[in-house]
Amino acid sequence: MSSAIRLTVGAGVVALGLLLPGTPATAAPSHTVKITIMASSDVHGNALNWDYYKNAEYDDSTHNDVGLAKISTMVSKIRADRGADHTLLFDSGDTLQGTPLDYYYAKVEPITSTGEIHPMAKAMNAIGYDAVTLGNHEFNYGLPLLGAWVTQMKAPVLGANAVSATTGRPAYQPYVIKTMKVKGEKPIKVGVLGLTNPGVAIWDKANVDGKLRFLDLVETAKKWVPVIRGLGADVVLVTAHAGDDGMSSYGSDLPVENAAAMVAEQVPGVDAVLFGHAHNEVPQRFVTNKVTGQQVLLTEPGKWGQRLSVVDFALAKERGKWTVTSKSSTTLNTNTVAEDPKIVALMKESHDKTVGYVNKVIAQSAQELSAAESPYKDTPILDYIQKVQTDLVGKALAGTADASLPVLSIAAPFSRTAVFPAGPVSVRDMAGLYVYDNTLLGVKLNGAQIKDFLEYSAKYFAQVAPGAPIDLATLTNAGGMPDYNYDQLSGVTYDIDISKPVGQRIVGLSYQGKPVTADQQFVVAINNYRQSGGGGFPHVSTAPVVYNAQVEIRQALIEYAAANGTIDPATFAEANWKLVRDGVPVFEK
């Protein structure tokens, strides 16, 4: 008998210490076998433990590590400990976007042009993933790049609820059944259903509209789980690129975004849900299925390869059939292991090219510009984004019916650590300021809509009475609102009165010294995430689009800097908004 099989005769599952609450104390089965499922998620282009924006080994305040090279070491240890034939490895999505490494092989040397194998495919193939699921960010660089990556992956790439817009048929493989050999016993069949996020229809509308539709996760699972069971699966897993809180960052027009726990509750026949998308660490969570009363296990391994979920199943053979008798899970911290030298060597060429690219000098900055105060002060470094966006949209409107309209611009403080140093500014510096692969659009809004938009954005601040002390730790991110959803508007002037309740904070909204009227027309330069409904801001997703050339904002910033050669705030910085309380500025200039 294989040493990997944990055999207990005459004592059943209790001997393993894994008996779940409510598990009936039946006669002991003849054999109990333990299998281990490992899961990563939201790796986001982190192949190595490296921070391309800091040009150094990755580190954070709690000393997490990142990357597939760390995951690889941990996976190898578990395979050696449990027996490789008793383990499987899956990923729940968001692989192809997130670091300059991903950007380089999508845009600088795109694999669709060179035919080169994507570094993330190289690494995942070398580690030996058994299946991966599509995340929403897999669609960021278009369907051709995604298609190339899918063909390069040795593991099946799953996405049952991504269907053809014309035929309604699955556009990607819906599921896979893996057979695990048990020496001297009937093989164990593990079925895996992959589900991606419906938000792709909004967030990457330009890439998928008219080509793909994204169906409800629960309804899709109800369709496919019985199919997988019917094909003899002893264990059924769902890998879902969806959080577990049942909420959505968009309206009700699309299926629920974070439906992982809903699948566990509403779909009979699921043993565990391996999920991602929310970037949370969930070592173990049990949800009761409302139909069967069975306990369904959920786990999420955080982000970027910082954690690996490890799920242990005990199966008993009863009447010739394997049955799950217990299950448990945990998450392991990858900072406890070294990088796998095989993955490091495999990534060296791709990594070195990316490092060279991000350290290329594109301009000289007249002074140091920092984003540290940008969440609560109007800072020149964000004004640089506003300037580039305004110029691009303004030039594109020349000669059109909207050429006479004022062009405004929105930008959010994506990174509090972004800095343009005095002197040489590199691609890395620019990418550190604008960390998302957004594209630029122009939409038409009236004055009343702009006021609504700004009031919504101002929810970001806590309400602080006049004269009360200001605590920077609690001033921002009210209600959990992230920095990237605090939009600042350029081209108009306004104050935000944080002593007032939400919805009554925007004061003195003016354009060129005159109050903005409700019906006054403007064009607003905006990113695709916001325009498509990301963050739930009012009006923008239904506003007329007057510009959409699919220009990537980060690349536009790089090209603008390179063309000018210098970054001088005297040419673009304009303090047009501030925080006040009853008209008194919160901060001195």
Side-chain angles (χ1 to χ4, degrees):
M1 179 173 291
S2 167
S3 61
I5 299 175
R6 309 300 168 87
L7 180 61
T8 305
V9 180
V13 187
V14 181
L16 292 174
L18 292 168
L19 191 65
L20 289 177
T23 303
T26 57
S30 58
H31 298 290
T32 298
V33 175
K34 185 176 180 181
I35 63 171
T36 297
I37 308 298
M38 297 172 283
S40 58
S41 188
D42 296 271
V43 177
H44 282 286
N46 288 283
L48 301 180
N49 187 40
W50 189 259
D51 188 330
Y52 289 100
Y53 301 129
K54 294 180 180 177
N55 206 35
E57 182 177 316
Y58 181 88
D59 193 25
D60 63 16
S61 59
T62 54
H63 303 298
N64 286 303
D65 288 346
V66 299
L68 287 175
K70 291 272 184 170
I71 291 285
S72 183
T73 299
M74 192 157 274
V75 166
S76 295
K77 285 179 177 292
I78 292 169
R79 284 172 175 161
D81 177 56
R82 313 287 173 89
D85 55 344
H86 278 55
T87 66
L88 293 170
L89 174 63
F90 304 110
D91 184 87
S92 296
D94 275 5
T95 302
L96 293 182
Q97 177 278 337
T99 64
L101 177 76
D102 272 338
Y103 180 84
Y104 189 89
Y105 285 92
K107 292 294 185 180
V108 182
E109 285 189 21
I111 61 168
T112 47
S113 299
T114 64
E116 185 175 344
I117 297 177
H118 195 288
M120 298 304 283
K122 282 183 186 176
M124 294 180 107
N125 288 344
I127 295 168
Y129 276 80
D130 291 288
V132 301
T133 292
L134 294 169
N136 54 284
H137 282 287
E138 263 63 85
F139 298 86
N140 285 174
Y141 294 117
L143 297 182
L145 181 121
L146 173 54
W149 177 72
V150 169
T151 61
Q152 292 174 353
M153 286 291 294
K154 292 179 180 177
V157 178
L158 309 178
N161 60 323
V163 302
S164 166
T166 52
T167 68
R169 294 173 182 163
Y172 302 92
Q173 186 170 329
Y175 66 88
V176 66
I177 296 179
K178 304 294 293 188
T179 300
M180 306 179 77
K181 302 290 177 62
V182 181
K183 189 175 181 180
E185 298 283 2
K186 180 182 178 183
I188 297 170
K189 290 187 175 181
V190 179
V192 184
L193 175 68
L195 300 171
T196 192
N197 203 284
V200 176
I202 290 178
W203 303 320
D204 272 301
K205 182 178 180 180
N207 291 329
V208 301
D209 195 31
K211 300 170 185 175
L212 296 175
R213 289 188 294 116
F214 296 86
L215 307 181
D216 181 88
L217 276 76
V218 171
E219 294 307 311
T220 303
K222 284 181 178 178
K223 172 183 176 180
W224 289 106
V225 169
V227 172
I228 296 168
R229 285 285 183 190
L231 292 170
D234 302 298
V235 181
V236 174
L237 310 174
V238 172
T239 52
H241 193 77
D244 64 340
D245 65 5
M247 306 295 286
S248 296
S249 64
Y250 41 74
S252 58
D253 292 342
L254 289 179
V256 174
E257 175 184 353
N258 293 304
M262 294 168 64
V263 171
E265 287 178 343
Q266 299 177 33
V267 183
V270 176
D271 292 299
V273 180
L274 315 173
F275 69 100
H277 184 59
H279 290 200
N280 294 324
E281 182 180 1
V282 182
Q284 177 178 277
R285 177 187 174 192
F286 283 103
V287 170
T288 303
N289 185 271
K290 294 178 178 178
V291 180
T292 65
Q294 295 292 316
Q295 294 291 295
V296 182
L297 176 64
L298 291 91
T299 182
E300 181 182 19
K303 63 183 181 181
W304 304 348
Q306 294 178 353
R307 303 289 186 273
L308 181 72
S309 284
V310 179
V311 185
D312 289 319
F313 287 100
L315 291 94
K317 197 173 74 169
E318 299 172 340
R319 301 180 184 88
K321 179 177 171 58
W322 291 112
T323 302
V324 174
T325 54
S326 69
K327 49 201 167 188
S328 63
S329 66
T330 190
T331 48
L332 302 180
N333 194 328
T334 59
N335 72 5
T336 61
V337 298
E339 289 187 298
D340 184 340
K342 296 194 299 293
I343 303 300
V344 173
L346 192 63
M347 294 293 101
K348 186 178 189 313
E349 182 182 355
S350 302
H351 173 71
D352 288 348
K353 281 185 177 181
T354 306
V355 169
Y357 167 70
V358 299
N359 285 288
K360 179 182 175 184
V361 172
I362 51 174
Q364 300 288 321
S365 181
Q367 63 188 74
E368 180 178 288
L369 302 178
S370 169
E373 296 182 326
S374 58
Y376 48 88
K377 289 184 181 180
D378 187 339
T379 53
I381 197 167
L382 256 65
D383 286 344
Y384 180 75
I385 300 173
Q386 309 278 35
K387 169 68 172 173
V388 174
Q389 293 182 159
T390 300
D391 282 7
L392 268 172
V393 173
K395 288 176 183 176
L397 293 179
T400 72
D402 300 305
S404 62
L405 294 181
V407 178
L408 314 181
S409 172
I410 66 109
F414 289 158
S415 170
R416 299 190 184 204
T417 59
V419 174
F420 290 172
V425 174
S426 66
V427 170
R428 174 166 58 87
D429 298 320
M430 200 65 71
L433 172 65
Y434 207 98
V435 299
Y436 297 109
D437 299 319
N438 293 332
T439 58
L440 183 64
L441 294 93
V443 298
K444 202 186 299 189
L445 295 174
N446 63 35
Q449 292 170 325
I450 285 170
K451 173 79 158 41
D452 288 346
F453 184 98
L454 288 173
E455 290 285 9
Y456 185 93
S457 187
K459 293 193 308 178
Y460 174 74
F461 296 103
Q463 188 172 359
V464 186
I470 295 293
D471 181 0
L472 292 180
T474 59
L475 176 63
T476 62
N477 308 103
M481 189 171 176
D483 289 354
Y484 62 75
N485 276 346
Y486 171 50
D487 279 354
Q488 305 169 15
L489 190 67
S490 74
V492 291
T493 57
Y494 60 97
D495 291 343
I496 302 171
D497 192 332
I498 60 171
S499 69
K500 299 292 191 290
V502 168
Q504 303 173 34
R505 294 179 164 180
I506 303 303
V507 180
L509 179 60
S510 303
Y511 174 71
Q512 293 187 345
K514 296 180 180 179
V516 169
T517 61
D519 59 353
Q520 195 169 355
Q521 296 290 307
F522 298 90
V523 171
V524 181
I526 192 170
N527 67 58
N528 66 298
Y529 173 79
R530 186 70 73 238
Q531 184 275 334
S532 63
F537 280 66
H539 308 304
V540 287
S541 65
T542 56
V545 175
V546 297
Y547 168 80
N548 185 8
Q550 291 294 292
V551 170
E552 291 194 29
I553 296 172
R554 180 165 56 205
Q555 193 60 28
L557 297 174
I558 292 168
E559 291 174 2
Y560 192 93
N564 286 279
T566 58
I567 298 173
D568 186 352
T571 65
F572 58 80
E574 181 181 354
N576 66 294
W577 69 270
K578 63 181 181 295
L579 300 184
V580 301
R581 289 181 290 183
D582 284 349
V584 179
V586 172
F587 301 105
E588 298 296 330
K589 290 185 178 179

